[in-house]
Amino acid sequence: MHGFQMDLGANIFLETYGAVREIAEELGVPLRRTRVPINGGVFFNGRLHGFYGGDRLGSRLKTLKTLLSLRLLSPRGVREALRFVRMLRARADDLSFDDPSGALDLDTGESIGEFFEKRIGTECLDRFVGPTLASYTFGRPDEVGVVYAMIAAWNFGLNGTAWPCMPERGPAVFVDALADACREDIRLSTPVRRIEIEDGAVKGVSIDGGFVEADAVICATTATTALRIATGLPAEIRDVLDRVTYSKCCRVFFGLQSSPLPKDWYAACFPAATGATMVGISNSAVLLPGTVPEGKTLLDALVMGKQAEELFALSDAEVGGRMLSEVRRFFPAMTEEPLFTHVHRWGEAVCLAPGGVMTALQEMRQRCLGSVHGLFLAGEYMGVPSTNGALRSGMNAAADCEAFFSRPRD
């Protein structure tokens, strides 16, 4: 649109995304580090408080100055933040997007909100950790489990080796290359209406106007869709899938001549205390200048949860006007006349991985799925919610399927 490329799904890859790197290399898609530190901030008490990305000493000192200025956090809040940072650093080796198994001892059923209330304190959560996590998980602290929250906080914030690393023209290049590589094996516009399961084994799939016989099916959908189309699942699998929840969000994109954010800033987020409708905004041109015309900006305003649902009911023009006023309330430099506005409604956005669910899903894969011969589940809910988690789950499902066919048959 107008020379701008909008990624309506995943819009960031990290160097710590092992599955993404493996597949990108196989597809011949080069991944490149972003050229500038990823700077951002939190809006509180009428002003932005900056946090500066990368592992350079200057960036770390500027971020430390933000914490110690006492304008965002009180001395108690600073102590809470430092306590959380120490926890993350102590568990750094376990906080992996590829294999979260080392951190599952933390998956006790608590949300990250409950974890902070009991072990750390809520000031840091309310003013800093919660708003920044919402920008990545699209969920509130009471909705997101501890393991997912800690992996996201470490890799998107403190891990100096987890630099954004993407195709120059954005994630869509990766998606197009993957689709092209699988073109001969993909049947488009042929939705599966039902996975047929009989006597504890897959028989095939029902599609519009027919039936495709199959000894094995990899169901790469959301958990809610898997429940709907695989109606013969035993109770121990259905009960686990029933616990998987998703965020709702509305994203409003503005094509702009220039960014209202400070120079070279990627994003800003907004604690609930600000009264903002949006939880965050980001400028794609900082991460991926190749996805916008030279010198222009693509601003992405994110609204989630109940506030997103309220926007779902409005027209695109109404949503765009409301969110334009919202951005201008915090950033008066925002133009009154964007080059264009695009509204994207996402009824099931990101898996929230509530407390205890990641452990339950891992145990289900190891034990319960064997009770339905030939069925394998894939999707971001089967790993750490992310593009990488979705791809890794697909690779795991393919390996499980290969092992299934390698076993002797009775």
Side-chain angles (χ1 to χ4, degrees):
M1 181 181 290
H2 303 279
F4 292 78
Q5 178 180 300
M6 287 172 286
D7 290 300
L8 302 180
N11 61 358
I12 187 168
F13 297 163
L14 299 178
E15 285 184 306
T16 49
Y17 280 10
V20 170
R21 289 202 322 271
E22 289 177 42
I23 296 178
E25 184 175 352
E26 184 176 339
L27 294 172
V29 175
L31 302 179
R32 295 183 172 86
R33 266 188 162 212
T34 54
R35 295 181 176 86
V36 297
I38 307 306
N39 303 327
V42 177
F43 200 95
F44 191 74
N45 281 342
R47 56 163 290 181
L48 279 171
H49 303 267
F51 291 85
Y52 302 87
D55 52 6
R56 297 175 183 172
L57 179 60
S59 295
R60 291 180 182 277
L61 290 176
K62 289 167 74 174
T63 294
L64 183 62
K65 182 179 178 182
T66 295
L67 284 172
L68 298 179
S69 68
L70 305 184
R71 292 175 178 171
L72 175 63
L73 299 173
S74 69
R76 183 186 68 182
V78 171
R79 289 194 298 270
E80 292 173 2
L82 294 176
R83 189 179 307 142
F84 186 52
V85 168
R86 286 195 297 271
M87 286 183 178
L88 295 178
R89 291 192 182 281
R91 298 300 299 264
D93 291 343
D94 300 324
L95 302 178
S96 166
F97 273 107
D98 277 286
D99 180 11
S101 58
L104 290 183
D105 61 294
L106 298 169
D107 195 28
T108 60
E110 290 180 323
S111 68
I112 192 64
E114 292 168 325
F115 182 86
F116 265 79
E117 287 175 8
K118 293 178 181 178
R119 294 169 177 79
I120 299 175
T122 59
E123 181 183 315
C124 172
L125 178 70
D126 294 340
R127 298 186 187 179
F128 174 47
V129 175
T132 54
L133 277 175
S135 298
Y136 301 116
T137 66
F138 297 1
R140 302 188 312 270
D142 63 305
E143 296 175 310
V144 179
V146 174
V147 177
Y148 178 27
M150 292 184 75
I151 290 174
W154 172 247
N155 287 278
F156 282 107
L158 294 168
N159 186 353
T161 65
W163 201 271
C165 188
M166 291 174 285
E168 283 191 353
R169 292 283 298 166
V173 173
F174 177 91
V175 174
D176 290 343
L178 184 59
D180 189 60
C182 302
R183 192 170 305 280
E184 293 184 2
D185 302 310
I186 296 175
R187 185 186 299 185
L188 299 176
S189 302
T190 312
V192 170
R193 301 303 182 186
R194 180 181 172 94
I195 300 173
E196 301 293 346
I197 299 171
E198 186 178 313
D199 297 328
V202 165
K203 298 301 179 183
V205 295
S206 294
I207 60 175
D208 289 342
F211 176 76
V212 179
E213 188 175 348
D215 294 320
V217 170
I218 296 176
C219 181
T221 68
T222 61
T224 50
T225 299
L227 278 170
R228 177 172 53 81
I229 65 176
T231 54
L233 291 175
E236 61 265 29
I237 296 178
R238 297 189 66 83
D239 289 347
V240 175
L241 295 182
D242 235 357
R243 295 169 59 188
V244 179
T245 57
Y246 292 86
S247 58
K248 293 182 175 67
C249 77
C250 183
R251 294 171 65 184
V252 184
F253 296 87
F254 297 104
L256 305 173
Q257 293 285 0
S258 60
S259 174
L261 294 172
K263 183 175 172 20
D264 290 335
W265 273 36
Y266 170 59
C269 54
F270 302 86
T274 64
T277 301
M278 58 189 175
V279 296
I281 56 174
S282 59
N283 175 12
S284 299
V286 172
L287 276 185
L288 295 166
T291 61
V292 301
E294 186 173 356
K296 301 295 193 294
T297 287
L298 180 63
L299 202 68
D300 177 3
L302 170 67
V303 183
M304 67 182 200
K306 292 182 179 179
Q307 291 171 308
E309 288 188 273
E310 292 174 5
L311 296 183
F312 288 175
L314 305 179
S315 69
D316 285 2
E318 290 172 318
V319 173
R322 181 176 296 190
M323 293 311 299
L324 180 61
S325 297
E326 171 90 345
V327 176
R328 284 182 50 80
R329 180 159 72 95
F330 293 95
F331 299 95
M334 175 72 171
T335 180
E336 294 184 25
E337 298 182 1
L339 301 173
F340 68 88
T341 302
H342 178 80
V343 178
H344 181 65
R345 298 165 177 82
W346 210 353
E348 284 188 333
V350 178
C351 175
L352 293 170
V357 169
M358 291 179 71
T359 299
L361 287 165
Q362 185 178 78
E363 292 174 350
M364 181 191 73
R365 178 183 169 224
Q366 293 171 346
R367 297 196 307 233
C368 300
L369 277 178
S371 62
V372 181
H373 296 288
L375 178 65
F376 307 94
L377 300 180
E380 68 163 9
Y381 71 94
M382 291 293 291
V384 182
S386 60
T387 303
N388 192 81
L391 290 172
R392 181 62 68 190
S393 77
M395 295 163 76
N396 289 340
D400 291 345
C401 187
E402 183 180 17
F404 169 76
F405 282 108
S406 298
R407 291 195 293 266
R409 301 298 178 92
D410 295 333

